[in-house]
Amino acid sequence: MSADRPTLPPVRLHSDAELARDALSAPLLARAAKLARWAEPGVPVGVGGEILQEQLAAAVAHLGLQDDEDGAGYAAEAWQLAVDTGLVEIEETAEEDDDRPGDAAVGTATPGEELSLLTSGSPQDILDIWLGGMETVLADAVAPDLSDIADQIAEGGELDLDAIDWNPEEEAELLDGILGNLYLLTALNEDPEQAVPLPALAASMIVPDDMDEPTDDILEEVSEAMMRLDDQFRVLEPIGLVDFRPVDEALIEELDEDGVTTRSAEPLEDEDVSRYGMVRLTPLGVYAVRARMLDAGIEAPAVGDLTDKGADVLLDALPGYPETLAQAESEQWLAARAPADAARDLLAAARGDDENAPLRRLACQQTLSLAGPEAEPALREVLDDRQLGGLARVWLAERGAADIPEPSQDMIFWLTVDTIAAQLDAAEAGEESAAELRGLVEGLVGQHNGFFDAAWRVDHPATADVLEAMGRLHPDKKAAKEARKAAFKARSRRSG
């Protein structure tokens, strides 16, 4: 596998227009926009644009949240988002005064320039505003418990972050890691809408990879991390970053200030792990996490990135893609070109004797399988090519084409070695791929008498490696021994 292949698999992004619609319908941004329009006559505000109690009550009513016990909190959060994203602008009307009451107005808020972009701007304008708001919400999600800070201030002491068990860098790093793991799971999952259990997500950041059985201390850390994530995802869901099912509160033990249990946790009798919380990135969340990765200099490909790239770049990248995304990338690449021209470019890029050439040819064959009949002339042009003639015949035969010349034995065996060489990386990567390759090896040896006697003579750079692999994979001891002897002959022939 190429050393410069992306370590992250590609993701399939929704269109900017779809993402912009999702952003506008996210509850927090929708409320912020509604309050920004409500501010048209001018709204008195406190320091930093904070909405005052009298105006907060009006904002709650304007949002229709007066019957919601959390309505004031939702309205305050939406107003703060409007301030942070520029949906409202603050004009200070009074100078700072230490003697002024805390709820006194020091300025006036009116709709900001950004507000008009939500209705008349481009999808990217809307997404830029949403991304700015998302960053604000992420910062809120890793903030400490305000009640702990309030207690310290009320006691007249200095703010001690250690005392409230809060490390801003650690909290931000944990959340970034969790979002990164969710992003990776989304990219690898054939069903991107499948949610992840919160305990598994927390464990992915806490449990060491080489630990077979977590210790009690590690399990305690996982439990604590899970509860922090429960709080954080509750904050992140209203901006549209995640779809979240919180932990069932009946499963949480409640303690008083002295550590005495006031409510016991309900036992999980039905083993329904979803009651411990489920989370997934929304399409908007995938877009946002990828944008943050790109800003951090991380290579995070998306399907369609290779559409304007050459065939060589496409074939180098596709072997590292999950099958469904490789097909989607190939379809977009082919759609941007005339079929015959695309086929010629792919075939030219597939040539070579380097160690990655078999993978390129396999990717070429898989991509060409998606091409239409207009590509046939390009395939016929390489029928006599030692490296490409075999895959060209396969393509033509699969389409029922006439006048396909019979391949020579040399070409058949060369194509066989090339195909197995291309699949060796996949076989080493997973048990399922290894089983498929093992079946292929058994079938080839069983169909051809004297297979190994002919195979070691194949003039292919990977012949010896392929025969050694066949010796490891074949379950029959006699056949495995023949494969190893043939590999020795092939290596001696090539070195001599």
Side-chain angles (χ1 to χ4, degrees):
M1 189 172 287
S2 173
D4 57 358
R5 184 162 295 143
T7 55
L8 282 173
V11 292
R12 195 193 302 261
L13 296 177
H14 287 199
S15 69
D16 282 358
E18 291 174 307
L19 292 170
R21 285 194 292 271
D22 289 345
L24 290 173
S25 62
L28 187 53
L29 184 61
R31 290 171 185 154
K34 191 171 184 179
L35 289 182
R37 297 185 184 96
W38 167 73
E40 178 69 37
V43 175
V45 293
V47 176
E50 181 181 1
I51 192 167
L52 305 177
Q53 285 301 314
E54 183 179 345
Q55 284 69 36
L56 178 60
V60 170
H62 184 72
L63 294 174
L65 299 174
Q66 57 269 38
D67 295 329
D68 191 322
E69 63 178 354
D70 296 318
Y74 293 149
E77 290 168 358
W79 178 262
Q80 191 58 51
L81 187 76
V83 173
D84 292 338
T85 56
L87 296 180
V88 295
E89 294 178 349
I90 309 299
E91 181 181 355
E92 294 186 359
T93 57
E95 296 182 0
E96 293 186 9
D97 185 350
D98 292 338
D99 295 329
R100 181 183 294 110
D103 60 349
V106 299
T108 302
T110 54
E113 293 181 3
E114 302 293 333
L115 181 61
S116 62
L117 294 178
L118 295 185
T119 53
S120 61
S122 67
Q124 189 58 57
D125 290 332
I126 295 170
L127 289 172
D128 286 343
I129 293 171
W130 181 86
L131 283 171
M134 183 267 303
E135 290 293 342
T136 297
V137 175
L138 280 175
D140 290 341
V142 297
D145 189 330
L146 294 180
S147 62
D148 292 337
I149 294 179
D151 289 343
Q152 284 195 13
I153 295 174
E155 293 170 3
E158 294 184 1
L159 185 60
D160 183 357
L161 297 183
D162 291 333
I164 59 174
D165 191 24
W166 181 68
N167 183 308
E169 293 181 359
E170 287 184 4
E171 292 293 330
E173 184 178 341
L174 175 64
L175 185 55
D176 281 345
I178 288 294
L179 292 176
N181 281 0
L182 271 179
Y183 180 91
L184 182 60
L185 290 169
T186 302
L188 293 174
N189 203 324
E190 290 187 4
D191 179 10
E193 295 191 359
Q194 183 174 344
V196 180
L198 211 55
L201 195 57
S204 71
M205 293 296 296
I206 303 296
V207 181
D209 293 336
D210 58 354
M211 180 176 286
D212 295 330
E213 190 71 27
T215 63
D216 289 342
D217 288 342
I218 289 291
L219 290 175
E220 182 66 24
E221 283 188 54
V222 169
S223 180
E224 291 175 358
M226 185 182 76
M227 296 314 300
R228 288 204 305 276
L229 290 174
D230 181 68
D231 291 337
Q232 290 169 342
F233 286 136
R234 290 171 190 261
V235 175
L236 297 177
E237 185 175 36
I239 196 64
L241 190 73
V242 296
D243 183 17
F244 179 54
R245 175 178 172 178
V247 176
D248 187 340
E249 293 187 1
L251 301 176
I252 303 173
E253 181 182 48
E254 288 189 0
L255 306 176
D256 63 18
E257 58 184 13
D258 297 321
V260 177
T261 300
T262 58
R263 189 187 70 186
S264 298
E266 178 183 305
L268 191 66
E269 296 177 352
D270 55 2
E271 297 185 359
D272 181 6
V273 71
S274 66
R275 293 183 64 193
Y276 279 115
M278 301 287 288
V279 65
R280 70 174 180 89
L281 286 178
T282 64
L284 197 57
V286 172
Y287 166 82
V289 175
R290 178 174 181 267
R292 299 184 87 230
M293 288 181 172
L294 293 176
D295 286 344
I298 299 172
E299 187 173 3
V303 172
D305 281 354
L306 305 181
T307 300
D308 60 348
K309 301 294 190 297
D312 56 337
V313 177
L314 179 75
L315 297 186
D316 277 340
L318 288 181
Y321 283 25
E323 183 178 350
T324 55
L325 298 183
Q327 178 174 330
E329 187 72 64
S330 298
E331 288 172 344
Q332 292 193 29
W333 191 90
L334 289 169
R337 294 160 177 78
D341 292 340
R344 290 188 181 95
D345 289 346
L346 288 166
L347 291 165
R351 287 192 178 92
D353 290 321
D354 57 282
E355 64 177 356
N356 289 322
L359 274 174
R360 288 201 305 276
R361 282 185 283 274
L362 180 60
C364 174
Q365 185 174 359
Q366 292 167 340
T367 302
L368 285 172
S369 70
L370 305 172
E374 300 86 354
E376 181 172 336
L379 275 296
R380 289 194 176 275
E381 291 168 8
V382 299
L383 284 172
D384 295 330
D385 189 292
R386 180 174 65 92
Q387 296 185 350
L388 305 175
L391 69 84
R393 283 170 171 78
V394 171
W395 190 93
L396 292 167
E398 287 176 345
R399 283 156 181 75
D403 301 323
I404 306 174
E406 286 290 325
S408 65
Q409 281 295 105
D410 286 346
M411 181 173 286
I412 291 173
F413 275 89
W414 195 95
L415 179 61
T416 299
V417 170
D418 198 59
T419 301
I420 295 176
Q423 296 185 12
L424 285 179
D425 277 352
E428 294 172 359
E431 293 183 6
E432 185 176 344
S433 297
E436 291 177 2
L437 185 53
R438 189 176 296 112
L440 173 62
V441 167
E442 289 184 64
L444 285 170
V445 176
Q447 291 170 13
H448 298 275
N449 290 326
F451 176 87
F452 294 116
D453 189 50
W456 72 265
R457 307 173 194 272
V458 174
D459 186 19
H460 189 293
T463 297
D465 291 337
V466 164
L467 289 170
E468 284 183 358
M470 293 179 77
R472 293 192 304 270
L473 291 167
H474 204 293
D476 182 77
K477 291 183 178 180
K478 181 180 179 181
K481 184 176 180 180
E482 289 180 10
R484 290 192 293 271
K485 289 173 62 177
F488 177 78
K489 291 181 181 179
R491 208 171 295 284
S492 298
R493 177 177 180 271
R494 195 158 185 83
S495 61

